[in-house]
Amino acid sequence: MTTRSAIILFAHGARDPEWAAPFRRIAARLREARSNLPVQLAFLELMQPALADAVAAMAAEGITRITLVPLFLAQGGHLKEDLPRLLNDIRRSHPGITIDVTEAIGDSELLTAAIADWALAQHMSFTT
């Protein structure tokens, strides 16, 4: 059996649809980089699709391995409690799919360094 893989970017969600614009740009950039790699944005709450729905859609497309990327800056209750609970339910519903979860983006030294560099550059642009 051939493994078909995909990426799900998992964000919190918000009432304002514009809130998701940066996450949509990340998804678009991934799709541009790998046009044959399915990429889906999913949300914990307030926006669609929910994580379970995104996984179900990928299962229907024959995806057998998903890399789940939490787009959260910190390890709070959503990642420590809500996500494991959601994943337990999803894995029971889709036992044929392997779901690998990356660290949250805020745990990435590369990304936190980039944010710090950006903040410093912003500061410098106002002070020079």
Side-chain angles (χ1 to χ4, degrees), residues 35-124:
S35 60
N36 62 336
L37 178 66
V39 176
Q40 176 70 52
L41 183 55
F43 302 96
L44 176 64
E45 57 189 23
L46 303 172
M47 300 181 98
Q48 296 298 320
L51 181 58
D53 295 334
V55 173
M58 289 189 162
E61 293 177 22
I63 301 299
T64 57
R65 184 170 212 119
I66 294 171
T67 300
L68 179 68
V69 181
L71 300 178
F72 289 73
L73 285 177
Q75 286 283 341
H78 290 317
L79 294 184
K80 291 179 179 177
E81 298 168 18
D82 298 334
L83 182 57
R85 189 171 35 254
L86 287 169
L87 287 173
N88 284 338
D89 292 342
I90 289 167
R91 287 177 172 136
R92 275 195 298 276
S93 297
H94 302 283
I97 296 180
T98 300
I99 302 174
D100 302 304
V101 182
T102 72
E103 64 186 357
I105 60 171
D107 292 333
S108 165
E109 186 60 36
L110 177 68
L111 289 177
T112 55
I115 292 168
D117 291 347
W118 177 86
L120 182 58
Q122 295 301 302
H123 169 73
M124 297 306 292

Coordinates of all heavy atoms in Angstrom, one line a residue, residues 35-124:
S35 N 3.3 21.3 -4.9 CA 1.9 21.4 -5.5 C 1.2 20.0 -5.3 O 0.0 19.9 -5.4 CB 2.0 21.8 -6.9 OG 2.8 20.9 -7.7
N36 N 2.0 18.9 -5.2 CA 1.4 17.6 -5.1 C 1.1 17.2 -3.6 O 0.6 16.1 -3.4 CB 2.3 16.5 -5.7 CG 3.6 16.4 -5.1 OD1 4.1 17.4 -4.5 ND2 4.3 15.3 -5.2
L37 N 1.4 18.1 -2.7 CA 1.2 17.8 -1.2 C -0.1 18.4 -0.8 O -0.2 19.6 -0.7 CB 2.4 18.3 -0.4 CG 2.3 18.1 1.1 CD1 2.4 16.6 1.4 CD2 3.5 18.8 1.8
P38 N -1.0 17.6 -0.3 CA -2.3 18.2 0.2 C -2.0 19.0 1.5 O -1.3 18.5 2.4 CB -3.2 17.1 0.5 CG -2.7 16.0 -0.4 CD -1.2 16.2 -0.5
V39 N -2.5 20.2 1.6 CA -2.3 21.1 2.8 C -3.7 21.6 3.1 O -4.4 22.1 2.3 CB -1.4 22.2 2.5 CG1 -1.3 23.2 3.7 CG2 0.0 21.7 2.1
Q40 N -4.0 21.5 4.4 CA -5.3 21.9 4.9 C -5.1 22.8 6.1 O -4.3 22.4 7.0 CB -6.2 20.7 5.2 CG -7.6 21.1 5.8 CD -8.5 21.7 4.8 OE1 -8.7 21.2 3.7 NE2 -9.0 22.9 5.2
L41 N -5.9 23.8 6.3 CA -5.9 24.6 7.5 C -7.1 24.2 8.3 O -8.2 24.0 7.7 CB -6.0 26.1 7.1 CG -6.0 27.1 8.2 CD1 -4.7 27.0 9.1 CD2 -6.0 28.5 7.6
A42 N -6.9 23.9 9.6 CA -8.0 23.5 10.4 C -8.0 24.3 11.7 O -6.9 24.8 12.1 CB -7.9 22.0 10.8
F43 N -9.1 24.3 12.4 CA -9.3 25.2 13.6 C -9.8 24.5 14.8 O -10.6 23.5 14.7 CB -10.2 26.4 13.2 CG -9.7 27.2 12.1 CD1 -10.2 26.9 10.8 CD2 -8.7 28.1 12.2 CE1 -9.7 27.6 9.7 CE2 -8.2 28.8 11.2 CZ -8.7 28.6 9.9
L44 N -9.4 24.9 16.0 CA -9.9 24.4 17.2 C -11.3 24.8 17.5 O -12.1 24.0 17.9 CB -9.0 24.9 18.4 CG -9.4 24.5 19.8 CD1 -9.4 22.9 19.9 CD2 -8.5 25.1 20.8
E45 N -11.6 26.1 17.2 CA -13.0 26.6 17.5 C -13.2 27.8 16.6 O -12.3 28.5 16.1 CB -13.2 26.9 18.9 CG -12.2 27.9 19.5 CD -12.2 28.0 21.0 OE1 -12.7 27.1 21.7 OE2 -11.8 29.1 21.5
L46 N -14.5 28.2 16.5 CA -15.0 29.4 15.9 C -14.9 29.5 14.4 O -15.5 30.3 13.8 CB -14.4 30.6 16.5 CG -14.5 30.8 18.0 CD1 -13.7 31.9 18.6 CD2 -16.0 31.0 18.4
M47 N -14.1 28.6 13.8 CA -13.9 28.7 12.3 C -13.9 27.2 11.8 O -13.8 26.3 12.5 CB -12.5 29.3 11.9 CG -12.4 30.8 12.4 SD -10.9 31.6 11.9 CE -11.5 32.4 10.5
Q48 N -14.1 27.1 10.5 CA -14.2 25.8 9.8 C -13.1 25.7 8.8 O -12.7 26.7 8.2 CB -15.5 25.7 9.2 CG -16.7 25.7 10.1 CD -16.7 24.5 11.1 OE1 -16.3 23.4 10.8 NE2 -17.0 24.8 12.4
P49 N -12.6 24.5 8.6 CA -13.1 23.2 9.2 C -12.5 22.9 10.5 O -11.4 23.4 10.9 CB -12.6 22.2 8.2 CG -11.3 22.7 7.6 CD -11.5 24.2 7.6
A50 N -13.2 22.2 11.3 CA -12.7 21.7 12.6 C -11.6 20.6 12.3 O -11.6 20.1 11.1 CB -13.8 21.1 13.4
L51 N -10.8 20.4 13.2 CA -9.7 19.4 13.0 C -10.2 18.0 12.5 O -9.8 17.4 11.6 CB -8.8 19.2 14.2 CG -7.7 18.3 14.1 CD1 -6.7 18.6 13.0 CD2 -6.9 18.2 15.4
A52 N -11.3 17.5 13.2 CA -11.8 16.2 12.9 C -12.4 16.2 11.5 O -12.2 15.2 10.7 CB -13.0 15.9 13.9
D53 N -13.0 17.3 11.0 CA -13.5 17.4 9.7 C -12.4 17.4 8.6 O -12.5 16.8 7.6 CB -14.4 18.6 9.5 CG -15.6 18.6 10.4 OD1 -16.1 17.5 10.7 OD2 -16.2 19.6 10.7
A54 N -11.3 18.1 8.9 CA -10.2 18.2 8.0 C -9.5 16.8 7.9 O -9.2 16.4 6.7 CB -9.1 19.2 8.5
V55 N -9.4 16.1 9.0 CA -8.9 14.7 8.9 C -9.8 13.8 8.1 O -9.4 13.0 7.3 CB -8.6 14.1 10.3 CG1 -8.2 12.7 10.2 CG2 -7.5 14.9 11.0
A56 N -11.1 13.9 8.4 CA -12.1 13.1 7.6 C -12.0 13.3 6.2 O -12.1 12.4 5.3 CB -13.5 13.3 8.2
A57 N -11.9 14.6 5.8 CA -11.8 14.9 4.3 C -10.5 14.3 3.7 O -10.5 13.8 2.6 CB -11.8 16.4 4.1
M58 N -9.4 14.4 4.5 CA -8.2 13.8 4.0 C -8.3 12.3 3.9 O -7.8 11.6 2.9 CB -7.0 14.2 4.8 CG -6.7 15.7 4.6 SD -5.1 16.1 5.4 CE -4.8 17.7 4.5
A59 N -8.9 11.6 4.9 CA -9.1 10.2 4.8 C -9.9 9.8 3.6 O -9.6 8.8 2.9 CB -9.8 9.7 6.1
A60 N -10.9 10.6 3.3 CA -11.8 10.4 2.1 C -10.9 10.5 0.8 O -11.3 9.8 -0.2 CB -12.9 11.3 2.0
E61 N -9.9 11.2 0.8 CA -9.0 11.4 -0.3 C -7.9 10.3 -0.4 O -7.0 10.3 -1.3 CB -8.3 12.8 -0.3 CG -9.3 13.9 -0.5 CD -8.6 15.2 -0.4 OE1 -7.3 15.3 -0.6 OE2 -9.3 16.2 -0.2
G62 N -7.9 9.4 0.6 CA -6.9 8.3 0.6 C -5.6 8.7 1.3 O -4.6 7.9 1.2
I63 N -5.6 9.8 2.1 CA -4.4 10.1 2.8 C -4.2 9.1 4.0 O -5.2 8.8 4.7 CB -4.5 11.6 3.4 CG1 -4.7 12.6 2.3 CG2 -3.3 11.9 4.3 CD1 -3.6 12.7 1.3
T64 N -3.0 8.7 4.2 CA -2.7 7.7 5.2 C -1.7 8.2 6.3 O -1.6 7.6 7.3 CB -2.2 6.4 4.6 OG1 -1.0 6.7 3.9 CG2 -3.2 5.7 3.8
R65 N -1.1 9.4 6.0 CA -0.2 9.9 7.0 C -0.3 11.4 7.0 O -0.2 12.1 5.9 CB 1.2 9.5 6.7 CG 2.2 10.0 7.8 CD 3.6 9.4 7.7 NE 4.1 9.4 9.0 CZ 4.5 8.3 9.6 NH1 4.4 7.1 9.0 NH2 5.0 8.3 10.9
I66 N -0.6 12.0 8.2 CA -0.7 13.5 8.3 C 0.3 14.0 9.3 O 0.5 13.5 10.3 CB -2.2 13.8 8.8 CG1 -3.2 13.4 7.8 CG2 -2.3 15.3 9.2 CD1 -4.6 13.5 8.3
T67 N 0.9 15.1 8.9 CA 1.8 15.9 9.8 C 0.9 17.0 10.2 O 0.5 17.9 9.4 CB 3.0 16.4 9.1 OG1 3.8 15.3 8.6 CG2 3.9 17.2 10.0
L68 N 0.6 17.1 11.5 CA -0.2 18.1 12.1 C 0.8 19.2 12.7 O 1.6 18.9 13.6 CB -1.1 17.5 13.2 CG -2.0 18.5 14.0 CD1 -3.0 19.1 13.0 CD2 -2.6 17.8 15.1
V69 N 0.6 20.4 12.3 CA 1.5 21.5 12.7 C 0.7 22.5 13.5 O -0.1 23.2 13.0 CB 2.1 22.2 11.5 CG1 3.0 23.3 12.0 CG2 2.9 21.2 10.6
P70 N 0.8 22.5 14.9 CA 0.1 23.4 15.7 C 0.6 24.9 15.5 O 1.8 25.1 15.9 CB 0.3 22.9 17.1 CG 0.8 21.5 17.0 CD 1.5 21.5 15.7
L71 N -0.2 25.8 15.1 CA 0.2 27.2 14.9 C -0.1 28.0 16.1 O -0.9 28.9 16.1 CB -0.5 27.7 13.6 CG -0.2 27.0 12.3 CD1 -0.9 27.6 11.2 CD2 1.3 27.0 12.0
F72 N 0.5 27.6 17.2 CA 0.3 28.2 18.5 C 1.6 28.6 19.0 O 2.6 27.9 18.9 CB -0.3 27.2 19.5 CG -1.8 26.8 19.3 CD1 -2.1 26.0 18.2 CD2 -2.7 27.3 20.1 CE1 -3.4 25.6 18.0 CE2 -4.1 27.0 19.9 CZ -4.4 26.1 18.9
L73 N 1.7 29.8 19.6 CA 3.0 30.3 20.1 C 3.4 29.7 21.5 O 4.5 29.8 21.8 CB 2.9 31.9 20.2 CG 3.0 32.6 18.9 CD1 2.9 34.1 19.1 CD2 4.3 32.2 18.2
A74 N 2.4 29.2 22.2 CA 2.8 28.7 23.6 C 2.0 27.4 23.9 O 1.0 27.2 23.3 CB 2.4 29.8 24.6
Q75 N 2.6 26.7 24.8 CA 2.0 25.4 25.2 C 1.0 25.6 26.3 O 1.3 25.5 27.5 CB 3.1 24.5 25.7 CG 4.0 23.9 24.7 CD 3.3 22.7 23.9 OE1 2.4 22.1 24.4 NE2 3.8 22.4 22.8
G76 N -0.2 26.0 25.9 CA -1.2 26.2 26.9 C -2.2 25.0 27.0 O -1.9 24.0 26.4
G77 N -3.3 25.2 27.6 CA -4.3 24.2 27.7 C -4.8 23.6 26.4 O -5.1 22.4 26.4
H78 N -4.8 24.4 25.4 CA -5.3 23.9 24.1 C -4.4 22.8 23.6 O -4.9 21.8 23.0 CB -5.4 25.0 23.1 CG -6.5 26.0 23.4 ND1 -7.8 25.6 23.8 CD2 -6.6 27.3 23.3 CE1 -8.6 26.6 23.9 NE2 -7.9 27.7 23.6
L79 N -3.1 23.0 23.7 CA -2.2 22.0 23.2 C -1.9 20.9 24.2 O -1.7 19.7 23.8 CB -0.8 22.6 22.8 CG -0.9 23.6 21.7 CD1 0.5 24.1 21.3 CD2 -1.6 23.0 20.4
K80 N -2.0 21.2 25.5 CA -1.7 20.2 26.5 C -3.0 19.3 26.8 O -2.8 18.1 27.2 CB -1.3 20.8 27.8 CG 0.1 21.4 27.7 CD 0.5 22.1 29.0 CE 1.9 22.7 28.9 NZ 2.2 23.4 30.2
E81 N -4.1 19.8 26.7 CA -5.3 19.1 27.0 C -6.3 18.9 25.8 O -6.7 17.8 25.6 CB -6.1 19.8 28.1 CG -5.3 19.9 29.4 CD -5.8 20.9 30.4 OE1 -7.0 21.2 30.3 OE2 -5.1 21.3 31.3
D82 N -6.7 20.0 25.2 CA -7.6 19.9 24.1 C -7.1 19.1 22.9 O -7.9 18.2 22.4 CB -8.1 21.3 23.6 CG -8.7 22.1 24.7 OD1 -9.3 21.5 25.6 OD2 -8.7 23.3 24.6
L83 N -5.9 19.3 22.4 CA -5.4 18.6 21.3 C -5.3 17.1 21.5 O -5.7 16.3 20.7 CB -4.1 19.2 20.8 CG -3.5 18.6 19.5 CD1 -4.5 18.6 18.3 CD2 -2.2 19.3 19.1
P84 N -4.7 16.7 22.6 CA -4.6 15.2 22.8 C -6.0 14.6 22.9 O -6.2 13.5 22.3 CB -3.9 15.1 24.2 CG -3.1 16.3 24.3 CD -3.9 17.4 23.6
R85 N -7.0 15.2 23.5 CA -8.3 14.7 23.5 C -8.9 14.6 22.1 O -9.5 13.6 21.7 CB -9.2 15.6 24.4 CG -10.6 15.0 24.7 CD -11.3 15.8 25.8 NE -11.1 17.3 25.8 CZ -10.4 17.9 26.7 NH1 -9.8 17.3 27.7 NH2 -10.3 19.2 26.7
L86 N -8.8 15.6 21.3 CA -9.2 15.6 19.9 C -8.6 14.5 19.1 O -9.2 13.8 18.4 CB -9.0 17.0 19.2 CG -9.8 18.1 19.6 CD1 -9.2 19.4 19.1 CD2 -11.3 17.9 19.2
L87 N -7.3 14.4 19.3 CA -6.5 13.4 18.5 C -6.9 12.0 18.9 O -7.0 11.1 18.1 CB -5.0 13.6 18.7 CG -4.4 14.8 17.9 CD1 -3.0 15.0 18.3 CD2 -4.6 14.6 16.4
N88 N -7.2 11.7 20.2 CA -7.7 10.4 20.6 C -9.0 10.0 19.9 O -9.1 8.9 19.4 CB -7.9 10.3 22.1 CG -6.6 10.2 22.9 OD1 -5.6 9.8 22.4 ND2 -6.6 10.6 24.2
D89 N -9.9 11.0 19.8 CA -11.2 10.7 19.2 C -10.9 10.5 17.7 O -11.5 9.6 17.0 CB -12.1 11.9 19.4 CG -12.6 12.0 20.8 OD1 -12.5 11.0 21.6 OD2 -13.1 13.0 21.2
I90 N -10.1 11.3 17.1 CA -9.8 11.3 15.6 C -9.1 9.9 15.3 O -9.5 9.3 14.3 CB -9.0 12.5 15.2 CG1 -9.8 13.7 15.2 CG2 -8.4 12.2 13.8 CD1 -9.0 15.0 15.1
R91 N -8.2 9.6 16.1 CA -7.5 8.3 15.8 C -8.4 7.1 15.9 O -8.2 6.1 15.2 CB -6.3 8.2 16.7 CG -5.1 9.1 16.3 CD -4.0 9.1 17.2 NE -2.8 9.9 16.7 CZ -2.1 10.7 17.4 NH1 -2.3 10.9 18.7 NH2 -1.1 11.4 16.8
R92 N -9.3 7.1 16.9 CA -10.3 6.1 17.0 C -11.2 6.0 15.7 O -11.6 4.9 15.2 CB -11.2 6.2 18.2 CG -10.6 5.6 19.5 CD -11.5 5.5 20.6 NE -12.1 6.7 21.1 CZ -11.6 7.5 21.9 NH1 -10.4 7.3 22.5 NH2 -12.2 8.6 22.3
S93 N -11.6 7.2 15.2 CA -12.4 7.2 14.0 C -11.7 6.9 12.7 O -12.3 6.5 11.8 CB -13.0 8.6 13.9 OG -13.8 9.0 15.0
H94 N -10.4 7.1 12.7 CA -9.6 6.9 11.5 C -8.3 6.1 11.8 O -7.2 6.6 11.7 CB -9.2 8.2 10.9 CG -10.4 9.1 10.5 ND1 -11.2 8.8 9.4 CD2 -10.9 10.1 11.1 CE1 -12.1 9.7 9.3 NE2 -12.0 10.5 10.4
P95 N -8.5 4.8 12.2 CA -7.3 4.0 12.7 C -6.3 3.8 11.5 O -5.1 3.5 11.8 CB -7.9 2.7 13.1 CG -9.2 2.6 12.4 CD -9.7 4.0 12.3
G96 N -6.7 4.0 10.3 CA -5.7 3.8 9.2 C -4.9 4.9 8.9 O -4.0 4.9 8.0
I97 N -5.0 6.0 9.6 CA -4.2 7.2 9.4 C -3.3 7.4 10.5 O -3.6 7.4 11.7 CB -5.1 8.5 9.2 CG1 -6.0 8.3 8.0 CG2 -4.3 9.7 9.1 CD1 -6.9 9.5 7.8
T98 N -2.0 7.6 10.2 CA -1.0 8.0 11.2 C -0.9 9.5 11.2 O -0.8 10.2 10.2 CB 0.4 7.4 10.7 OG1 0.3 6.0 10.7 CG2 1.5 7.9 11.7
I99 N -1.0 10.1 12.4 CA -1.0 11.5 12.6 C 0.3 11.8 13.5 O 0.3 11.4 14.6 CB -2.2 12.1 13.3 CG1 -3.5 11.7 12.4 CG2 -2.1 13.6 13.5 CD1 -4.8 12.1 13.1
D100 N 1.2 12.5 12.9 CA 2.4 12.9 13.6 C 2.2 14.4 13.9 O 1.8 15.2 13.1 CB 3.7 12.8 12.7 CG 3.9 11.4 12.2 OD1 4.0 10.5 13.0 OD2 3.9 11.2 11.0
V101 N 2.5 14.8 15.2 CA 2.3 16.1 15.6 C 3.7 16.8 15.8 O 4.5 16.3 16.6 CB 1.5 16.2 16.9 CG1 1.2 17.6 17.4 CG2 0.2 15.4 16.7
T102 N 3.9 17.9 15.2 CA 5.1 18.7 15.4 C 5.0 19.5 16.7 O 4.0 19.6 17.3 CB 5.4 19.6 14.3 OG1 4.5 20.7 14.3 CG2 5.3 19.0 12.9
E103 N 6.2 20.1 17.1 CA 6.1 21.0 18.2 C 5.3 22.2 17.7 O 5.1 22.4 16.5 CB 7.5 21.4 18.6 CG 8.3 22.2 17.5 CD 9.7 22.4 17.9 OE1 10.1 22.1 19.0 OE2 10.4 23.0 17.0
A104 N 4.8 23.0 18.7 CA 4.1 24.2 18.4 C 5.1 25.2 17.8 O 6.3 25.1 18.1 CB 3.5 24.8 19.6
I105 N 4.6 26.1 16.9 CA 5.5 27.0 16.3 C 6.3 27.8 17.3 O 7.4 28.2 17.1 CB 4.9 27.9 15.2 CG1 3.7 28.7 15.8 CG2 4.4 27.0 14.1 CD1 3.2 29.8 14.9
G106 N 5.7 28.1 18.4 CA 6.4 28.9 19.5 C 7.5 28.2 20.2 O 8.3 28.8 20.8
D107 N 7.5 26.8 20.0 CA 8.6 26.0 20.6 C 9.8 26.0 19.6 O 10.9 25.4 20.0 CB 8.1 24.6 20.9 CG 7.1 24.6 22.0 OD1 7.2 25.5 22.9 OD2 6.3 23.7 22.0
S108 N 9.7 26.5 18.4 CA 10.8 26.4 17.5 C 11.7 27.6 17.7 O 11.4 28.7 17.6 CB 10.2 26.5 16.0 OG 11.2 26.8 15.1
E109 N 13.0 27.2 18.0 CA 14.0 28.3 18.2 C 14.2 29.1 16.9 O 14.4 30.3 17.0 CB 15.3 27.6 18.6 CG 16.4 28.6 19.0 CD 16.0 29.6 20.2 OE1 15.3 29.1 21.1 OE2 16.4 30.8 20.1
L110 N 14.1 28.4 15.8 CA 14.2 29.1 14.5 C 13.2 30.2 14.4 O 13.4 31.4 14.0 CB 14.1 28.1 13.4 CG 14.2 28.7 11.9 CD1 15.5 29.2 11.6 CD2 13.8 27.6 10.9
L111 N 11.9 29.9 14.7 CA 10.8 30.9 14.6 C 10.9 31.9 15.6 O 10.6 33.1 15.3 CB 9.5 30.2 14.6 CG 9.2 29.4 13.3 CD1 7.9 28.6 13.4 CD2 9.2 30.3 12.1
T112 N 11.2 31.6 16.9 CA 11.3 32.6 17.9 C 12.4 33.6 17.6 O 12.3 34.8 17.9 CB 11.3 32.0 19.3 OG1 12.4 31.1 19.4 CG2 10.0 31.3 19.7
A113 N 13.5 33.1 17.1 CA 14.6 33.9 16.7 C 14.2 34.9 15.6 O 14.6 36.0 15.6 CB 15.8 33.1 16.3
A114 N 13.5 34.3 14.6 CA 13.0 35.2 13.5 C 12.1 36.3 14.0 O 12.1 37.4 13.5 CB 12.3 34.3 12.4
I115 N 11.2 36.0 14.9 CA 10.3 37.0 15.5 C 11.1 38.0 16.3 O 10.8 39.2 16.1 CB 9.3 36.3 16.4 CG1 8.3 35.5 15.6 CG2 8.5 37.4 17.2 CD1 7.4 34.5 16.4
A116 N 12.1 37.6 17.0 CA 12.9 38.5 17.8 C 13.7 39.5 16.8 O 13.7 40.7 17.0 CB 13.9 37.8 18.7
D117 N 14.2 38.9 15.7 CA 14.9 39.7 14.7 C 14.0 40.7 14.0 O 14.3 41.8 13.8 CB 15.5 38.8 13.6 CG 16.7 37.9 14.2 OD1 17.2 38.2 15.3 OD2 17.1 37.0 13.5
W118 N 12.8 40.2 13.7 CA 11.8 41.1 13.1 C 11.4 42.3 14.1 O 11.4 43.4 13.7 CB 10.5 40.3 12.8 CG 9.5 41.2 12.2 CD1 9.3 41.5 10.9 CD2 8.4 41.8 12.9 NE1 8.2 42.3 10.7 CE2 7.6 42.5 11.9 CE3 8.0 41.8 14.2 CZ2 6.5 43.2 12.3 CZ3 6.8 42.5 14.6 CH2 6.1 43.2 13.6
A119 N 11.2 41.9 15.4 CA 10.9 43.0 16.3 C 12.0 44.0 16.5 O 11.7 45.2 16.5 CB 10.6 42.3 17.7
L120 N 13.2 43.5 16.5 CA 14.3 44.4 16.6 C 14.4 45.3 15.3 O 14.6 46.5 15.4 CB 15.7 43.7 16.8 CG 16.9 44.5 16.9 CD1 16.8 45.5 18.1 CD2 18.1 43.7 17.1
A121 N 14.2 44.7 14.1 CA 14.2 45.5 12.9 C 13.1 46.6 12.9 O 13.3 47.7 12.5 CB 14.1 44.6 11.7
Q122 N 12.0 46.2 13.4 CA 10.9 47.2 13.5 C 11.3 48.3 14.4 O 11.1 49.5 14.1 CB 9.6 46.5 14.0 CG 9.0 45.5 13.1 CD 8.7 46.0 11.8 OE1 7.9 47.0 11.6 NE2 9.3 45.5 10.7
H123 N 11.8 48.0 15.6 CA 12.3 49.0 16.5 C 13.3 49.9 15.9 O 13.2 51.2 16.0 CB 12.9 48.3 17.8 CG 13.6 49.3 18.7 ND1 12.9 50.2 19.4 CD2 14.9 49.5 18.9 CE1 13.8 50.9 20.1 NE2 15.0 50.5 19.8
M124 N 14.3 49.3 15.2 CA 15.3 50.1 14.6 C 14.7 51.0 13.5 O 15.3 52.1 13.3 CB 16.4 49.2 14.0 CG 17.1 48.4 15.1 SD 17.8 49.4 16.4 CE 19.1 50.2 15.6

